[in-house]
Amino acid sequence: MGRNTGKDAGAVRVEVRLPEEMESITRSRQIAREAVTDGGYRGRHEDVLLVVSELVTNALRHGAGAPVLRVECDRDRVRVEVRDTGERLPEPREPEPGSGWGLHVVDMLSTGWGVRGDGDGKAVWCELAAHVRPLAPQAG
C-alpha cells in the first residue's frame, strides 16, 4: 500500500491505495483521522470520517479495482477524493435501511461534491469547511 504524505505550511496531503476489501473502510477512517489532526482542521472531525466511510464504501460496493483515497486538509477545509477504475457513475438514491444513506450524507455534510472522470475510471470528491464562530467582543 503506497502512502504519500506531504505537509506544507499547515496543509496536509495524503494519498493511499487501499486494498479491495471491506476492511479498507476502517483503514480509510484512520488515515482521515490522522490527516485532520495533523492539519489542525477546526471543523467536526466526525463529519470527515463519515464522508470518507461513505465514499470508500461506495467505491468498494459499486466501483471497480482498489480504491485510492486522497485527503487534503488545512485548518479551514478538507477535500476528500476516492478514485476507482469503474466507469459507472454514482447515482443518489432514496435512503433505505438496507442500503444506507450514501451520497445523501455526503451532500448534507459537505459544502460541495462531484464526480470527475479521467479515462481510467472516476473520482468522487467532496469538500467540508470548518464553521468557526468569531469570538464575541468582550465588554470592557
Side-chain angles (χ1 to χ4, degrees), residues 8 29 38 55 57 59 74 79 104-105 126 137:
D8 180 41
R29 290 172 60 90
D38 291 350
L55 295 181
T57 298
D74 61 28
R79 181 180 173 92
H104 290 281
V105 169
C126 69

Side-chain angles (χ1 to χ4, degrees), residues 35-140:
V36 295
T37 299
D38 291 350
Y41 181 59
R42 298 183 295 172
R44 290 178 40 92
H45 291 196
E46 299 83 9
D47 292 351
V48 176
L49 303 182
L50 187 52
V51 299
V52 165
S53 292
E54 293 294 343
L55 295 181
V56 171
T57 298
N58 284 351
L60 290 167
R61 290 178 124 185
H62 307 293
V68 175
L69 170 67
R70 177 183 294 161
V71 180
E72 298 177 11
C73 173
D74 61 28
R75 292 179 41 163
D76 298 316
R77 85 172 182 88
V78 176
R79 181 180 173 92
V80 175
E81 179 178 290
V82 178
R83 292 191 316 268
D84 68 70
T85 57
E87 296 188 17
R88 183 175 162 205
L89 299 179
E91 300 174 23
R93 294 177 249 190
E94 283 302 312
E96 297 176 0
S99 66
W101 284 75
L103 292 174
H104 290 281
V105 169
V106 174
D107 186 51
M108 288 187 306
L109 296 177
S110 66
T111 57
W113 71 275
V115 181
R116 170 172 63 78
D118 58 13
D120 293 322
K122 66 182 168 307
V124 182
W125 61 270
C126 69
E127 291 191 0
L128 295 91
H131 300 289
V132 180
R133 294 185 206 153
L135 294 174
Q138 295 181 352

